[in-house]
Amino acid sequence: MKNKRIGLLAFVIAGIVVVAGGMVGLLIVLNRGEITYWQAYYPQYPNVSQAVKASDVVVTGMPVGSHEEVEYPGGDTESGTEVDNPQKGVKESELHSEDLAVPRTITRIKVTRAIKGSVREGQVIEVAQIGGKLGRSVVREQGVALLQDAADTHEGKQLLLLLSAHPGKAYDAINPQSGMLLVGSKGNVTGINAASVRSLSTESTLDEYYRAAK
């Protein structure tokens, strides 16, 4: 059977290629008890300047609620070639959207500072992450905290988010390491997720992000 491709973050699940959120990565599924962990690989950015350049929107904000949904993307069987579109030539009857279902947690973020992009202070935006209920399973992305949980355990509850835009859909982070960060009371920036320290200087400040966005 040919690999399948859908429109959001490129994963491989049991030999199936899934593309989601405009990002490309490899997904490994790890079953541990009642939780299934998806491990994805994303584009990496070695410094603040490149991370900001790759972002459509950069904001600080606070979560004001979240909900879960399951996306059932459609397949493209006509455009491109079999090299860049693994679904090229696959019969529509062979595309099983339930096999490619992507559980997502959508967090509503109230913007406190608009650093880059067409957003404004006080606006509430939606940011999507992999994770949620899928059938009888609970899916989480390996090593990645949900935004609401991260803010709840952080004294200031302020997040710094570097986001990709998708017309008509929720934003998502450019990657979990450079795109999902915590802001301290003195403007210092630290990572939410375990791998963040490898791609983000521990001396980063909000000022660096403002300068990079100019």
Side-chain angles (χ1 to χ4, degrees):
M1 181 178 69
K2 292 188 177 183
N3 289 338
K4 303 176 184 178
R5 182 178 174 185
I6 59 177
L8 275 186
L9 177 62
F11 300 140
V12 172
I13 308 175
I16 299 174
V17 173
V18 182
V19 176
M23 296 188 149
V24 177
L26 173 67
L27 184 77
I28 300 172
V29 178
L30 306 170
N31 292 300
R32 294 180 180 172
E34 297 179 354
I35 300 178
T36 299
Y37 289 93
W38 290 8
Q39 184 175 347
Y41 296 89
Y42 299 82
Q44 298 297 308
Y45 307 98
N47 53 53
V48 169
S49 178
Q50 291 190 28
V52 170
K53 184 177 180 179
S55 307
D56 297 310
V57 167
V58 180
V59 299
T60 64
M62 302 176 66
V64 293
S66 64
H67 68 274
E68 296 180 2
E69 62 181 37
V70 178
E71 185 171 23
Y72 296 92
D76 176 7
T77 63
E78 297 182 359
S79 66
T81 67
E82 291 192 358
V83 174
D84 56 35
N85 179 8
Q87 292 179 166
K88 174 75 172 180
V90 177
K91 295 179 181 179
E92 289 190 10
S93 60
E94 295 178 358
L95 294 175
H96 303 291
S97 61
E98 65 274 12
D99 294 335
L100 303 178
V102 179
R104 306 196 306 166
T105 294
I106 311 296
T107 303
R108 296 185 299 281
I109 302 290
K110 184 173 183 179
V111 176
T112 54
R113 297 184 184 91
I115 299 172
K116 178 183 177 181
S118 56
V119 293
R120 63 185 185 279
E121 185 177 329
Q123 181 178 350
V124 176
I125 62 174
E126 292 189 333
V127 179
Q129 294 178 263
I130 296 171
K133 292 182 180 179
L134 185 60
R136 297 181 179 180
S137 300
V138 174
V139 173
R140 290 288 182 266
E141 188 170 356
Q142 179 77 7
V144 178
L146 295 176
L147 292 173
Q148 184 74 63
D149 294 343
D152 287 346
T153 57
H154 177 54
E155 184 177 355
K157 296 187 181 296
Q158 287 281 330
L159 302 174
L160 172 62
L161 302 174
L162 283 71
L163 305 172
S164 297
H166 310 285
K169 295 187 177 183
Y171 294 95
D172 58 16
I174 58 170
N175 67 30
Q177 294 77 38
S178 301
M180 299 167 53
L181 307 163
L182 298 171
V183 181
S185 59
K186 297 182 179 180
N188 55 304
V189 174
T190 56
I192 289 175
N193 300 302
S196 297
V197 293
R198 294 198 294 271
S199 60
L200 178 74
S201 169
T202 55
E203 301 300 322
S204 294
T205 65
L206 270 181
D207 288 342
E208 291 184 54
Y209 289 83
Y210 277 103
R211 290 196 296 269
K214 290 182 178 180

